[in-house]
Amino acid sequence: MKTLVHWRLELLKHLRGPLLGTRAKGTSSNKWLHRQQKDPLVKRAVVEQYRCRSAYKLIELDDKFRFLNKGAVVVDCGASPGAWSQVAAQRVDCGASPGAWSQVAAQRVTTTSTNTQEIADLPGVLVMGGSDVTDPLVQERVRELLGRRGADVVMSDMAPNASGIREMDHQKIMQLAESALALSHSVLKEGGVFLCKLWQGPLANVFRSRLKANFSFTKECRLQSTRQSSSELFIYAEQYHST
């Protein structure tokens, strides 16, 4: 059975609703809703049964680097609402369409946390609801679940709620990336893959340089599926070695 360990960081992650979502009334909310309604990837996600448009970012990355191999064990950090986990489960499990995976009952592991929202179960996915990736106890629980098998891929689409203060937001997303990287060091197999989202800024360059100490290949990616107004980029690293 393919195992996709999947948890969410809700205290620091964007609050996400349905694809077209609802937000508090106001000018910015109206602009956001209009953008959602006009976005072709939002419309495509509805048709193809993905939980949000971010699914196409992971699809684009995997089409480029081919790291979601059949039978792989994947840890998805900050997974709400579950689109990356959908894509990963699909691609490690015979490449079926989102609505036609092998019918393996998803299990739910409940951990203690506050201010969290549940994610609906996914076939082939072990959901750790209400879990904070920055919590050492949560990271220990993931290590226990994986056991000696370890993970082939650790990936993170985590991001903090944007304050509008660029330097502060950049520091916050880097903290999340550091937490995901710390987990990768304890669960990744030799030769494994690490993938995470960052926002452009000086600390991103430092972070990528540090990755080179434990990964033989690293690549910074700006995706076609990223909105033009966004400063996000993804760092892909492969061929992990612990020393």
Side-chain angles (χ1 to χ4, degrees), residues 37-53:
Q37 292 171 334
K38 295 296 184 180
D39 190 322
L41 288 185
V42 172
K43 296 177 180 179
R44 182 179 170 186
V46 173
V47 173
E48 297 183 353
Q49 302 177 47
Y50 287 118
R51 294 186 177 181
C52 64
R53 74 184 301 281

Side-chain angles (χ1 to χ4, degrees), residues 116-166:
T116 61
Q117 64 186 88
E118 292 300 322
I119 302 174
D121 286 326
L122 289 165
V125 178
L126 177 61
V127 179
M128 294 182 65
S131 300
D132 185 341
V133 68
T134 65
D135 185 343
L137 294 178
V138 171
Q139 296 202 9
E140 178 60 30
R141 179 59 175 152
V142 175
R143 287 192 290 270
E144 292 175 356
L145 288 168
L146 293 174
R148 294 182 179 180
R149 184 177 184 184
D152 300 290
V153 179
V154 173
M155 60 187 190
S156 169
D157 190 32
M158 295 187 293
N161 288 314
S163 68
I165 303 174
R166 184 165 182 168

